[in-house]
Amino acid sequence: MEKARLSPMKKVDIIVSGERLPFVKDLLARVRVTGYTIIPNVSGMGHSGFHEGNLIFNETSSLVLLMTVVREAQVELILEGLTPLFERHSGIMYVSDVGVSRQDHFTH
Amino acid sequence: MGLSLRLFLEQAIVMDFCRKSLGIPGTFPAVLEWIGGHEDEMRTRSFVARYGLPSRWIPELARFGGSLPPPGDPAWDRLSERRQEELLSRSPEGGLRRRAGRLFHAAQCLGWSPEEVASLSASGWSLLEGRLERLDRNRREEVWQRALESGLESELLEKVAPWKEKEPELSSSGSETVRPQAHVLFCIDVRSERLRRHIESLGGYVTYGLAGFFGIPFRFQPYQKPPGQIQAPVLLNPRHRVQEIPRAYEIERADLHFRRHQKTRSLIHLFHELKDHVITPYVLVEALGWFYLFPFLGKTFFPRGVRRLMDFLRSLFLPEIATALTVAKTTEAEALAMVESEQHARIRKACLTLLGPHTRSISSETVEELRQKALEERRTLERLSPKAQEELSVNLPQEADLVRKLRNLYLVTTRRTRVLMETIMTTGFTLEEQAFYIENSLRMTGLMRNFSRLVLVCGHGSESINNPYESALDCGACGGNRGIPNARVYVEMANNPAVRDILRKRGIPIPYDTHFLAGEHNTTTDRIEFFDLEAVPLTHRRDLKRLWRDLGEAGQRTAAERDRALPPVFGSGRRSGLPGVERRSCDYSEVRPEWGLSGNAWFIVGSRSLTGSQANFSGRAFLHSYDPSIDTTGRDLESILTGPLVVGEWINAEHFFSALDPVVFGGGNKIYHNVTAQIGVMWGNEGDLLVGLPAQTLRDGERLVHEPVRLTVLIEAPRGRIDAIISKNPVLRDLFRNEWMLLIAADPEDREFYRYRFPDLWGKVSGLTR
């Protein structure tokens, strides 16, 4: 079997309230991120206390987790775009190193 | 445009004034420089502008003809001294006189008699004076605000006080042996409260309240209207889609309806084109203007008659058609079959048009072969089978041309197939989803057993004409739309035997003879209309008739109660019964079709044992049913507090701030409103888009009808459960801890009321009398 070769990429995780999701999606579109995964209704604890997820009648107040894998150069752009959001609203973002087997899937 | 015009005029006025009175150009630096050199004169001028010219100065100014001296005149120094004297004389007098005046005011406000004042001891007096001294002048409004809210809170607690004495019921659904005549599910809207009270007073009815989208969020496409109308609170982003389609037996009339609708639409379009053109309006007014006279006079003097006539004409030309909603979800195989049969029809039509009448008798296999060929992603040179070639009698170029046209003109493509499949597959709800939504709403309200033979699911909507604020009168839980589509979807699901089987396994046994029925409460006329009556079993005819009659009676009583609260209608002369409210619904000069949600003050989450069917909340309470004994985990309460309550708070805040400052937060006077580009309203030709509710929604012309108070939330649940929910949800933490809402818990464990105050949390409410 041919040995899988992994190319280094950056994975960006963003957790914001559902209300801010359109902003984040818009930002990613503008920095030409072509793919991401959204996990809605996540729960967790943070600076502003506990956030309950999975509310039946409210999708804007609960948190969403958005994951995307991008080139290193794009991380800076995403960070820059998110800064004004985090200045006013709660949310977090972190970046980690990942390896992907089909790099052309993640870059344009 | 309005703003720039105003700025231009203001600038011109300032220029003119500065030049004439001060002899300087009206620019900012010039004015600043002048102030620097004439500080005393500036202060005196500003004093006069603020308080007016004191009469004592007039003799002094006689030599200037009674007006102010010219700039830089030595008389200004003298006037400046006068001004200081005047200011001193205006300052509050210190010492005894001031204290006496204060006591006089305090005694007057508290309604004391002279004897009571005289009997006030020195310590009592100093206590009172100390309190008055400590009261910050800036906090005066806050004290009044709290007093107003505290009065309303006491009123609420008085109404629900009997709950404290009640024995805890074993089951929330009341007696297990006797079935109620009917159950009615209403929206939590404050306007439902009146109707609920009146229908319950007729005996045999049990009502429940839940958010008016009945827990089912979807995007709705009304018959022959564009899709995408969101039937859910704006907190949700619905993924399901529901379409309104004519019922199968309406096939003939639906066809007629469709053709006439197309014609009407093109006529209206033509009319608008002519109206908006540069030249044609001149001719149009001459030619058609006269026809407007009749509706104009009719609507002005006989609004009800004209409406009846218009309804009659419309029913002649565009008859109402019985429709059904696409609630059930199709499986992938079914959807594929639907798309396939649609494409087959297209291909047959294409062959007939492109190749000639000999293709009428082509076999289904040939059609399918053509379809497959058109759908093929890769263009192959492979020809059709000999049999197909023979049937179609085509040569190679003709065949290629046919396939190309099928793709381009008749849209038989993979892409189109995918879009169609997607549309069909996202329409409706799976069985499991249906059971989930119905179970959820029934569990949340506590209606889980002892179902009556008829269960009415009653949405609501309003009716008015010439009213840009109409959606403020419709259902807030349905995104400002009418609530009936949700009620119809709910009923369709709840009547589905397969859904009932699932519910029975989950502990909600709905008997076979229980029928759910959809209805709509018209909040302007208080009439209730039933929908989809063809689905009602024949065995339920008598139940239906009784319900219809009783709802009619309850509606009339509600209308009479509401009509008394509305200012009299011009021309009707009397103030009772339906005609008054009906006229409001069709009068195009009516600024206040109904009071809507004005007056909202309370939000009660609890069982009917708390709110009591006899308690009269005078249409000021949102009532959400909830049974704390069923919801042991608190999930249902959490859903209520994070969903419907948040929407209720928005509605309350909208009314609160619109009443507080009608110009900045509200919509000002409706009379001057100018509907602008279908996005909002402006005040005449000036300023910004208006954000809030108009004065007519909150005032009756003389006084404020909506008292600006924060929502008082009363929840029947253990305090610990409420605490846990608040601490887990940031939206609730912000609203309660920062006191945007006031919270009282009715704790079923010791049958006491507790007031929530962050950070000390719960304090027992003692003494319910004011």
Side-chain angles (χ1 to χ4, degrees), chain B residues 66-114:
Chain B
S67 55
L68 292 173
D73 195 276
W76 282 109
D77 297 336
R78 175 83 191 116
L79 280 184
S80 186
E81 282 165 30
R82 283 292 180 120
R83 167 176 58 89
Q84 270 157 13
E85 285 165 20
E86 192 74 31
L87 275 176
L88 263 179
S89 73
R90 275 165 195 254
S91 71
E93 288 176 74
L96 280 174
R97 203 169 147 196
R98 181 163 169 243
R99 289 174 66 193
R102 223 187 205 183
L103 176 63
F104 176 71
H105 275 297
Q108 216 171 25
C109 290
L110 296 170
W112 285 349
S113 65

Side-chain angles (χ1 to χ4, degrees), chain B residues 523-670:
Chain B
T523 51
T524 318
T525 61
D526 282 312
R527 287 215 169 93
I528 291 95
E529 194 184 343
F530 295 137
F531 284 77
D532 300 325
L533 285 174
E534 50 266 85
V536 179
L538 292 178
T539 47
H540 287 58
R541 237 195 68 215
R542 281 173 184 281
D543 302 79
L544 179 66
K545 193 172 168 189
R546 251 196 315 269
L547 178 68
W548 174 72
R549 202 180 287 153
D550 286 348
L551 276 172
E553 167 77 28
Q556 268 185 8
R557 290 189 193 181
T558 312
E561 187 185 320
R562 242 166 23 83
D563 202 36
R564 281 195 293 276
L566 282 158
V569 182
F570 172 74
S572 85
R574 320 147 301 98
R575 306 181 64 187
S576 66
L578 275 172
V581 293
E582 201 180 312
R583 187 183 162 112
R584 286 174 196 281
S585 72
C586 54
D587 186 353
Y588 74 161
S589 64
E590 178 59 59
V591 288
R592 192 182 297 107
E594 54 169 302
W595 275 123
L597 289 121
S598 291
N600 68 80
W602 306 310
F603 194 109
I604 308 173
V605 181
S607 60
R608 210 59 178 142
S609 78
L610 173 67
T611 51
S613 53
Q614 298 313 312
N616 180 349
F617 294 99
S618 6
R620 310 193 64 175
F622 293 96
L623 300 180
H624 201 302
S625 301
Y626 171 69
D627 187 344
S629 63
I630 295 175
D631 177 37
T632 45
T633 57
R635 287 291 298 166
D636 294 337
L637 186 59
E638 184 169 48
S639 305
I640 296 171
L641 298 190
T642 52
L645 178 63
V646 172
V647 176
E649 200 276 332
W650 290 347
I651 293 171
N652 173 262
E654 184 186 28
H655 284 78
F656 184 106
F657 288 106
S658 298
L660 207 63
D661 193 335
V663 175
V664 177
F665 300 124
N669 195 334
K670 213 174 184 178

Side-chain angles (χ1 to χ4, degrees), chain B residues 400-419:
Chain B
D401 185 55
L402 176 65
V403 173
R404 193 172 48 79
K405 281 189 174 152
L406 278 180
R407 282 186 190 132
N408 298 340
L409 289 178
Y410 292 84
L411 298 176
V412 184
T413 57
T414 333
R415 197 184 146 78
R416 178 79 192 148
T417 311
R418 223 177 311 150
V419 171

Side-chain angles (χ1 to χ4, degrees), chain A residues 12 18 23 25 31 54 64-65 72-73 77 79 81-82 101 105:
Chain A
V12 182
F23 176 87
K25 282 205 236 174
V31 301
N54 203 18
V64 291
L65 164 62
E72 194 164 357
L77 293 174
L79 189 63
L82 286 177
S101 60
H105 245 73

Side-chain angles (χ1 to χ4, degrees), chain B residues 163 168 717-721 746-752:
Chain B
W163 172 80
R719 282 162 287 157
R721 192 182 295 170
D747 197 328
E749 277 160 19
D750 55 4
R751 296 249 146 197
E752 285 290 348

Side-chain angles (χ1 to χ4, degrees), chain B residues 732-750:
Chain B
L732 296 177
R733 284 205 297 265
D734 292 347
L735 289 175
F736 283 122
R737 293 184 183 173
N738 299 331
E739 295 188 18
W740 290 100
M741 290 190 277
L742 308 168
L743 174 60
I744 296 172
D747 197 328
E749 277 160 19
D750 55 4

